[in-house]
Amino acid sequence: MTPTLAAAWKDLDDLARTERGLSLRELFANDTARFSRFSCRVGGLLFDYSKQRISEASLAHLLRLAEAAEVSDWRERLFAGEAINTSEDRAALHFALRRRGVEPLFVRGVDVMPEIRATQTRLREFSDAVRSGRWRGYSGEPIRAIVNLGIGGSDLGPRMLTTALRAIGHPTLAVHYVANVDSADLAPLLETLDPRTTLFIVASKTFTTLETLTNAVTAREWLIANAGDSSDGPERTAQALARQFVAVTARSDTAISFGIAPDMIFPFSDWVGGRFSLWSSIGLPLVLAIGMDAFEQLLAGAAAMDKHFRTAPARENLPLLMALVGVWNSSVLGASAYAVVPYSQSLALLPDYLQQLEMESNGKSIGRDGQPLQRPAAPAIFGGAGTNAQHAWFQLLHQGGRLLPVDFVAIVESDYPLPGHHERLLASCFAQSEALAFGEPEADPAYRRCPGNQPSSTFVLPRLDPYHLGALLAAYEHKTFVQGVLWGINSFDQWGVELGKHLAQRLLPAIESNTPLATRCDTSTAGLIAHCRAVRERHL
């Protein structure tokens, strides 16, 4: 940490000691223009952070922190395609997947844009064929069900958006997602599917992910068993795999070895991080659900946010402000968690998506320099759809006595308009942010008192459409990047995840059979394995 950056953090800590008692009631009472000064509008998206415990002084200090951390320089390195993922020596070019225009973007001397455009053309051609019914399965019938087999970044983004945009989804094409290696995720779904009309997408960057490959092998066996149940079985089996198994991967060679036809592989580059990959061919199931035109609107909304993030002044830069508010809450005021509450049932999976985006990116305690961080970084994220969440864990927010900031997301126009519903939904959203901010501290008896002063931000989208969703998700991506810079973290690796994968592969032979463990393990793990063996043997 440079002396300038260390001084900026110290100034924030010093200011926090004087502002820790700031009252949102007083801030609003003393400033009738607070909403207009502490809100930001970008392309129809409103970000209201006036209910955060932020003053002009604290915001000025946070902006100086961004300068000291050289956020603008890191931002230019990101958009220039430099290898800012230092531990893996890779660029982080997810933004290139949604670029408009024909301007080249060079990575190690190679323009990556022609490959991106070619893949997008293939996505359009294939999705149009499937959605129109021209693409047929082995029996000559059109596809009626899509099953995406992927986990993490190969699942959460497309799954969340398929749910969010179901109002514009294909009327007869069902899109399903299977992520868990638990057979309870895949088996019940297979029982409902017709093998003649089901298309499987195996989505895995490396094509080695244990959960995805296990599910893919089972799905392949299911399809082969059904397709081969006739006199011309071998021919039908080959046709079934060629027509009804698709791969999305950065390792085409491994997908071909699995048995997927080369022309059924949709590639993406290794500079696309998993949790940033929904804009790539990983979005294929979403494209099949909503069509390529709508998917391109999603890309356009994200591209507009990219341009805003790169060019807007700091005091008006929405992703930068999001990041600074979050850092103030977690790294200065001490909030260890925050909630994401979309007041939209269609956006119910948004908290799940953001958990991976932020916690996998910045859930670290070692900086880019290899040294321990001087303060806590990423807070834990939890959440759920309003109004359901109000009747579950909002009690803790109002009277639990902990600092738990909230991001609310509201939509002006309903995607499923029914008389009287959406007005009540919006009223509930805005009432909760008001109640958290101002509470009822003088209520009598005492157990009715809500102290308030709980910080929140509110995002308002005009409608739940691809363009504005693209802008919102890109804003959260850039927020995550900026916070990584402020904390001194490489936001684009995930070595903690890799450790668990490695250990699972080591333990698997001992769990599958009575094979002794290849290497010694702790007595607890050995005891758990022995217990499972004993239970299985008793039931044989």
Side-chain angles (χ1 to χ4, degrees):
M1 187 181 293
T2 66
T4 304
L5 183 56
W9 278 112
K10 182 179 182 304
D11 288 346
L12 278 170
D13 290 335
D14 291 343
L15 181 67
R17 279 189 284 274
T18 64
E19 291 200 351
R20 195 168 293 276
L22 273 180
S23 161
L24 285 169
R25 280 182 174 271
E26 293 177 3
L27 287 172
F28 274 88
N30 296 332
D31 183 2
T32 57
R34 182 171 174 82
F35 171 76
S36 61
R37 292 194 301 108
F38 289 88
S39 61
C40 180
R41 292 172 174 81
V42 181
L45 176 65
L46 169 68
F47 173 54
D48 170 25
Y49 61 105
S50 61
K51 292 191 181 82
Q52 293 287 344
R53 280 155 46 178
I54 292 275
S55 68
E56 286 290 354
S58 51
L59 183 55
H61 278 63
L62 287 164
L63 291 169
R64 283 197 285 274
L65 175 71
E67 290 180 9
E70 300 178 335
V71 166
S72 60
D73 291 342
W74 278 96
R75 180 177 58 201
E76 288 311 303
R77 293 180 63 188
L78 170 74
F79 283 102
E82 293 187 26
I84 61 172
N85 179 353
T86 52
S87 70
E88 297 174 308
D89 192 28
R90 290 176 183 165
L93 288 180
H94 45 282
F95 69 89
L97 299 162
R98 57 227 191 189
R99 287 181 85 198
R100 308 291 89 187
V102 296
E103 182 182 355
L105 178 61
F106 292 96
V107 177
R108 295 190 168 126
V110 178
D111 181 9
V112 301
M113 295 311 299
E115 179 185 350
I116 291 172
R117 296 285 182 257
T119 299
Q120 290 172 345
T121 297
R122 289 191 59 213
L123 288 174
R124 176 176 289 279
E125 292 171 348
F126 182 66
S127 63
D128 285 351
V130 173
R131 287 168 58 85
S132 67
R134 288 185 286 110
W135 188 270
R136 304 284 172 137
Y138 69 82
S139 66
E141 297 184 49
I143 299 299
R144 288 288 174 260
I146 309 292
V147 181
N148 187 77
L149 306 173
I151 197 167
S154 299
D155 168 79
L156 286 167
R159 184 196 291 256
M160 182 270 292
L161 285 168
T162 298
T163 301
L165 296 170
R166 59 190 170 182
I168 62 169
H170 193 284
T172 61
L173 194 62
V175 180
H176 307 278
Y177 290 84
V178 173
N180 203 324
V181 72
D182 186 345
S183 54
D185 199 7
L186 178 60
L189 176 62
L190 291 179
E191 292 176 0
T192 70
L193 299 175
D194 184 341
R196 299 167 300 175
T197 60
T198 300
L199 175 75
F200 291 95
I201 302 172
V202 186
S204 173
K205 183 174 182 178
T206 62
F207 222 83
T208 59
T209 308
L210 180 145
E211 297 90 344
T212 300
L213 268 293
T214 301
N215 285 327
V217 167
T218 299
R220 183 181 62 185
E221 292 174 351
W222 176 82
L223 185 61
I224 289 173
N226 285 280
D229 189 17
S230 66
S231 58
D232 56 347
E235 180 180 347
R236 286 161 64 91
T237 295
Q239 191 174 22
L241 289 177
R243 303 288 294 178
Q244 294 176 232
F245 251 85
V246 179
V248 178
T249 184
R251 290 292 307 275
S252 296
D253 55 338
T254 311
I256 291 171
S257 299
F258 181 85
I260 295 177
D263 60 352
M264 294 292 278
I265 298 173
F266 294 84
F268 63 98
S269 298
D270 64 2
W271 41 253
V272 181
R275 54 195 172 275
F276 301 90
S277 65
L278 70 89
W279 322 99
S280 72
S281 51
I282 285 291
L284 175 58
L286 174 63
V287 176
L288 291 166
I290 65 175
M292 193 63 187
D293 287 345
F295 186 74
E296 289 188 340
Q297 283 296 303
L298 181 83
L299 300 181
M305 186 57 68
D306 295 338
K307 181 179 179 180
H308 167 82
F309 174 55
R310 194 173 186 182
T311 62
R315 187 64 172 79
E316 303 167 14
N317 196 301
L318 191 152
L320 176 62
L321 293 170
M322 291 170 64
L324 295 176
V325 166
V327 164
W328 174 252
N329 284 330
S330 61
S331 297
V332 182
L333 298 184
S336 60
Y338 88 94
V340 178
V341 188
Y343 272 72
S344 164
Q345 188 61 35
S346 297
L347 278 178
L349 295 178
L350 179 63
D352 300 54
Y353 170 78
L354 294 178
Q355 283 173 340
Q356 187 196 24
L357 175 63
E358 297 194 26
M359 294 168 70
E360 190 169 84
S361 295
N362 292 336
K364 297 159 186 173
S365 58
I366 302 294
R368 289 188 303 265
D369 58 2
Q371 299 301 310
L373 300 182
Q374 299 301 304
R375 61 187 64 231
I381 298 174
F382 64 102
T387 56
N388 296 7
Q390 295 174 199
H391 296 269
W393 40 266
F394 264 48
Q395 170 63 35
L396 178 65
L397 299 183
H398 288 294
Q399 292 185 311
R402 303 176 189 176
L403 179 63
L404 287 170
V406 180
D407 276 3
F408 292 99
V409 181
I411 318 294
V412 176
E413 299 176 8
S414 175
D415 49 341
Y416 288 95
L418 289 175
H421 283 254
H422 202 65
E423 295 80 4
R424 287 165 173 79
L425 185 68
L426 288 174
S428 296
C429 178
F430 301 153
Q432 288 297 323
S433 73
E434 181 181 17
L436 286 171
F438 308 118
E440 281 190 342
E442 305 301 328
D444 190 44
Y447 57 75
R448 294 180 61 92
R449 293 174 189 166
C450 296
N453 220 32
Q454 195 76 285
S456 71
S457 298
T458 301
F459 297 87
V460 182
L461 283 64
R463 64 197 67 84
L464 197 60
D465 59 15
Y467 183 90
H468 292 99
L469 271 178
L472 178 68
L473 299 184
Y476 271 105
E477 285 183 348
H478 295 315
K479 168 204 170 184
T480 301
F481 164 71
V482 170
Q483 289 186 330
V485 172
L486 296 173
W487 288 317
I489 288 171
N490 175 9
S491 299
F492 300 102
D493 61 13
Q494 56 281 331
W495 296 107
V497 177
E498 301 304 320
L499 173 61
K501 292 180 180 179
H502 170 74
L503 294 177
Q505 292 288 0
R506 182 173 67 86
L507 297 177
L508 183 58
I511 295 173
E512 287 181 322
S513 64
N514 287 328
T515 305
L517 283 167
T519 57
R520 293 183 63 185
C521 66
D522 65 274
T523 55
S524 169
T525 303
L528 293 169
I529 293 172
H531 174 77
C532 290
R533 283 177 176 171
V535 170
R536 280 202 303 251
E537 288 170 359
R538 285 200 300 269
H539 288 84
L540 288 178

